[in-house]
Amino acid sequence: MYALPPVYDFRTVEEEVRRFWAERGIPKKFLELNRGGPIFSFLEGPPTVNGYMHVGHVRGRVCKDVVLRFATMQGFWVWRRAGWDCQGLPTELEVERILGIRTKKDVEAIGMERFVEEANRLVDHYIQHWRKDSETLGLWLDYDTAYETRNERYMEHIWYLLKRAYENGDLIVSNKVVPFCPRCETPLSSHEVSLGYEEVEDYSLYVKFPIESMPGTYAVIWTTTPWTLPANEAVAVNPEETYVEVATGKGNLLIAEKLLDRVAAETGLGQVSVVRRLSGSELVGLRYSHPLAEEVGIHADHAPPAHTIVEAEFVSMEEGTGLVHIAPGHGPEDFELGKRLGLPAPCPISTTGVFTEEAGAFAGKNHREAAEDVIAALERKGLLLHKGKVVHTYPLCWRCQTPLVYLLSRQWFLRVDRIKRLMLEENSRVRWIPAWAGSARFREWLENAEDWCISRTKVWGTPLNVWTCESCGARRVVGSKAEIERDAIEKPQPLRMHRPWIDMVVFRCDRCGGLMRREPFVLDTWLDSGVAHFASVDYLSNPSLFERLFPYDFITEAIDQTRGWFYTLLFTSVLLFGKAPYKTVLTQSHVLDREGKKMSKSRGNVIWASDAFRELGVDNVRLYLLTKAQVWETMNFDPEEIRVVRSDLNVLWNVVSFAKTYFDLDRYDPEREGYDAYERFAEPEDRWIVSRVNSLIRSVTSSLERYELTDAVRALLRFATEDLSRKYIRAVRRRFWDEKRTPKKIAAYAATHYVLTRYLTVLSVFAPHIAEYLYQRIRSPSMPESVCLTRWPKVEEHRIDPDLEDAMEVADDVISSSLAARQKAGYKLRWPVARLIISPKSARAKDAVIRLLDYIARMTNSLRVEVLDVGQEPREAVKDLEPVLRSLGPAAGKRLNEVISALRSLRPMEVIESLESEGEYVLRLPDGTLFTLTQEHVQVVTRLPEWLREHEGRFARVYVDLKEDESVKALSAVNEVIRRVQVLRKELNLEVTELVDCRVYVDDSGWVEALKTLSEHFEEETRSRLEILGAPPRPEENDAVREWEVGGKRLVVGLKRTVGRGS
RNA sequence: GGGCCCGUAGCUCAGCCUGGCGGAGCGCCCGGCUGAUAACCGGGAGGUCGUGGGUUCGAAUCCCACCGGGCCCA
């Protein structure tokens, strides 16, 4: 038979449960549940498989698991195909590390074939780890049919999408300023750029731009990148700010007022005098002569708005002069501004960082070296106001430390303007949790969305499916691999869709007969995962499956996917189907380390999932991640705090262990002795816990339906510790101990079994391992073989009794108060009190107390319970008066002491009654004078006799009567002996049911009498035959003998096993 | 600079939507229990509800401004 180990050890539990699941094939059966029933469709956000799973990932995967288990148990056929995001920069970088590649040329040398092969191998490796960790976690997705973004069939869906987009005019080629490493000759993604910021020293240049209409006046700009000046096309000001024209020895200068002092100090202008103040908008439109007009010929052709002052709200007063040099070919912001204003956007620097012919006098030189020439030219013309140095952060190539250069280049985009409105509309129909993630955050992102740049200059990715004719520029967007097989005039054998093979495919141009070659880009990986809604189910072959799943009921990822997956899914879905691809989105926030710092490999503070599972326990980690904070709030992961949930689970463990022990002892049969059959024997606490568990199921169900996972788990754990363990088990313990198989005892078993089966079912959604383990211990043959295969429990409304639940709350309050009153008097719980007096504070409280009178008596160890009327005091309470010196003192003056003693000599009730009816009472003092006492001079207090202790609770005031009559004394004495016998039994490791002989010696005749009178009670409690001795029992005649000093009495107890009795 | 989130006991968090006695767990202190025992139970101390203003009979809660932390965007 199963026996429960004494403490909850997650290692053995989880190992055993995993083995059980594997042997019985439970996960497979679970995935098959409800096939053919109503569908709940989930779309897995594919983890990027370029590293291992850490606890941050675990949080998201636990959310997925909880929702999917819940849906399954509710009877849905759940669609939950796993998926893996296989391509992308991080993988490419790791391949480069493995192969020792540093530049683009190295890739060519080693061969792209080799490169891609290595990438595939890496992806295989990580997928294997992710699957293993996910399974250990208990996240049962359909891994066998998992979608992978590197699969050709998957990539064909992207091609299909882009072909459609191209036909509709949504796929366009356009220019964009991107960061380049001139040494590696490659553009860098924003992610790569953020890797490489460093503090560097650069020139700090102040340059004068002569204003044409105001000879002798100059706009002053500040720059640290002189190599961008040849491409200058405008100077921007902030229209809201104030500018000044100041007269200096170097001409009249235009500078922002707020920055004047700083600029004057840095450039050594000395004294300056303000000629006039102008608003930024007044400057707009002024033409200037390009400071390098003579050196850079192209500027001769540039007409306004080129070479004028323009306005831009991004001009800040934080640094520089408040006038910003604009080079549309070298800055993303500049380019956007230029596009809006219609500025030319020359980019006279090549991808190797060398000035081109367009740069005129500077052509042929590296842009950094040519900077000196630029400075020299400005100096010669008197346009350099100041040349200094500055240390600032600037992006370097993370590979080779070369400073980056921003260059205009040709990229492919998906247009957003046509679908933006529909995306916003569709978004408003999506249910976001929490709501602000969608209504505020995501909406804001959508409103500001710009065309999506999807082209990347990389190797390991989905290739862009656009072929361009070398001769006439005609384009062909290919929709499938089959199209290549059919139409290409050159293609490798076998044909593979990845680079480099795809680059070998050539078409003949329909229009001119020329050769069409592929645009050499791969695609942004966000497009890979962003088509999962239809690519993951192979829409192209199986549209009917797609129709059944789409739009998906549920997705969940971290909040950073607002601009990532949440966006790209919506984008492609609206583009293709005009509809949001998901109905409900649960957003999570990030998991940080104990101190609230981001987990990162370089900091060394990452907690890997597999380590956490092994060292902290899967269920513990799951519950911890769910309970500590709402999932959409960031949480700090502190392994120390795990013990809180572990201790909660241990309490549950003890409950089941306790129940299991007695179920086995009595061969309890839940099939025949269920709660239905025994409800009529149930005590109030049984009905209460049954009501409570139904209320719990109702609230957990509702929380889960609202995706408030944290609330659900908190309520669940609270029930186990508060309701089930602290209240219920404590209340029924004595019934469980009953030797006889009474209906009342079986009713308690039935209630416990009823509660546990339901509770464990609900728990299995959150902590499947321990739930399964405990479920197996109390499972009866007609129950499903695994807790994971059970149905979500139905709330049995007729068993919810809100009045009883309320009444129990009152009873608990009374019990606590009585314990507190005992404590004040140092009166132990094992000593019964003669009388418990309850003065309820309300009629409801009174009803409650009366309803649960017997329960209260049992739990407080009271021989009798008296319930008073609302607000009534016990008859032993005596009213008295206390002088209030603060008011009485000033009124009585010197006579104070006499007034007080006069007051004391009176019957308090007489004075109180007079004060109540007359509002005053006249005192006659010894010297014959009178003193008029009013209500504010005295305070009415209640005095209790010594033996009556009170405590005020929320619902009632409670008094315990500590007068020890004979029966109380006797019971107290016997209970003291019983307790010590139990200690001895335990030391002898006796079975709970084993009978013993018990020899007791005590040198107090009162105790001896008590033992004789209560011998039956004693024998029942201790499972023994009592023998009272006139002398201490001798060790040689007993299995154990112990001596105590109890309340001044000498007590010696001996125990002897009874051979052949008990078992 | 803009958007969003957070700020409540030493720590971790409820309460806020819908205004009405400021809460829980952990930790700490004191005590109890001993047939769930590597458990369990009771009591206690501990608060400028980030700050300031407003609305209101009444504000942790609603409104405004500010401060601090975080995420995203620029």
Side-chain angles (χ1 to χ4, degrees), chain A residues 716-975:
Chain A
L716 201 61
L717 291 181
R718 205 181 167 77
F719 176 89
T721 53
E722 300 268 306
D723 293 337
L724 191 53
S725 173
R726 271 171 218 167
K727 286 187 199 160
Y728 183 67
I729 294 297
R730 196 146 63 102
V732 294
R733 248 187 321 186
R734 303 200 71 85
R735 254 195 290 161
F736 271 52
W737 296 340
D738 200 326
E739 280 179 63
K740 294 179 282 294
R741 220 171 182 287
T742 62
K744 274 183 186 300
K745 178 163 87 170
I746 302 303
Y749 287 177
T752 305
H753 195 267
Y754 176 100
V755 170
L756 284 177
T757 49
R758 283 163 179 77
Y759 185 82
L760 292 174
T761 299
V762 173
L763 181 70
S764 77
V765 163
F766 305 96
H769 302 85
I770 186 170
E772 182 74 272
Y773 189 93
L774 297 178
Y775 174 87
Q776 294 303 333
R777 268 68 191 168
I778 61 160
R779 182 180 157 253
S780 63
S782 73
M783 288 157 67
E785 67 171 322
S786 159
V787 73
C788 303
L789 304 178
T790 55
R791 285 300 286 254
W792 189 256
K794 265 209 294 290
V795 178
E796 298 191 317
E797 297 286 348
H798 65 283
R799 289 196 157 127
I800 296 184
D801 182 346
D803 287 342
L804 179 58
E805 292 192 27
D806 290 348
M808 200 57 135
E809 225 180 299
V810 175
D812 282 325
D813 179 58
V814 168
I815 293 163
S816 289
S817 294
S818 99
L819 290 169
R822 276 168 177 272
Q823 172 135 332
K824 281 188 220 162
Y827 196 85
K828 294 180 181 179
L829 183 58
R830 88 170 73 95
W831 303 339
V833 292
R835 201 159 53 114
L836 180 72
I837 306 165
I838 302 167
S839 170
K841 291 184 178 175
S842 67
R844 278 182 72 86
K846 185 177 177 185
D847 292 345
V849 167
I850 289 170
R851 182 171 183 185
L852 296 173
L853 209 57
D854 171 58
Y855 172 75
I856 292 170
R858 273 189 283 137
M859 300 311 286
T860 55
N861 196 9
S862 307
L863 299 184
R864 221 165 77 234
V865 182
E866 270 175 41
V867 184
L868 305 177
D869 279 334
V870 173
Q872 197 191 356
E873 291 183 335
R875 59 184 180 279
E876 291 86 349
V878 178
K879 288 249 170 36
D880 197 3
L881 287 173
E882 281 289 341
V884 178
L885 294 178
R886 198 186 320 161
S887 55
L888 193 59
K894 289 205 172 100
R895 295 182 296 165
L896 181 62
N897 281 333
E898 284 151 33
V899 170
I900 291 174
S901 47
L903 188 60
R904 291 260 153 85
S905 66
L906 293 165
R907 281 198 311 112
M909 277 322 288
E910 185 189 330
V911 182
I912 292 168
E913 276 161 21
S914 169
L915 283 173
E916 272 168 13
S917 58
E918 314 289 326
E920 58 176 47
Y921 183 86
V922 180
L923 282 176
R924 186 176 296 274
L925 301 182
D927 63 0
T929 59
L930 300 178
F931 180 82
T932 308
L933 205 64
T934 65
Q935 280 180 333
E936 69 228 30
H937 294 146
V938 288
Q939 193 185 0
V940 181
V941 295
T942 304
R943 298 210 188 280
L944 293 174
E946 252 305 289
W947 40 267
L948 205 57
R949 295 303 178 104
E950 64 162 344
H951 186 92
E952 183 172 349
R954 225 150 49 94
F955 298 106
R957 189 180 283 271
V958 168
Y959 306 82
V960 289
D961 179 350
L962 303 179
K963 268 202 312 282
E964 296 186 74
D965 61 16
E966 286 313 309
S967 62
V968 169
K969 277 188 195 155
L971 252 180
S972 302
V974 171
N975 284 348

Side-chain angles (χ1 to χ4, degrees), chain A residues 999 1032-1041 1054-1056:
Chain A
R999 288 86 186 244
R1034 290 210 298 258
E1036 57 272 26
E1037 291 169 5
N1038 293 280
D1039 292 319
V1041 173
L1055 282 194
K1056 174 108 179 88

Side-chain angles (χ1 to χ4, degrees), chain A residues 231-245:
Chain A
N232 170 278
E233 291 295 348
V235 168
V237 295
N238 188 326
E240 309 286 315
E241 297 289 342
T242 303
Y243 291 80
V244 289
E245 179 181 343

Side-chain angles (χ1 to χ4, degrees), chain A residues 283-300:
Chain A
L283 296 172
V284 172
L286 289 177
R287 294 193 60 173
Y288 62 83
S289 328
H290 196 285
L292 298 171
E294 295 82 0
E295 291 78 8
V296 184
I298 53 168
H299 287 293

Side-chain angles (χ1 to χ4, degrees), chain A residues 29 105 267 318 333 456 461 553 555 594 668 993 1004:
Chain A
K29 292 175 184 164
K105 292 191 183 70
T267 58
E318 300 295 310
E333 241 179 356
R456 297 287 184 272
D553 288 304
I555 65 172
R594 187 202 310 241
Y668 170 64
T993 48
D1004 182 279

Side-chain angles (χ1 to χ4, degrees), chain A residues 515-532:
Chain A
L515 297 180
M516 303 185 96
R517 296 192 188 276
R518 197 181 74 86
E519 295 280 316
F521 299 101
V522 296
L523 297 166
D524 182 5
T525 46
W526 287 112
L527 192 54
D528 289 354
S529 55
V531 299

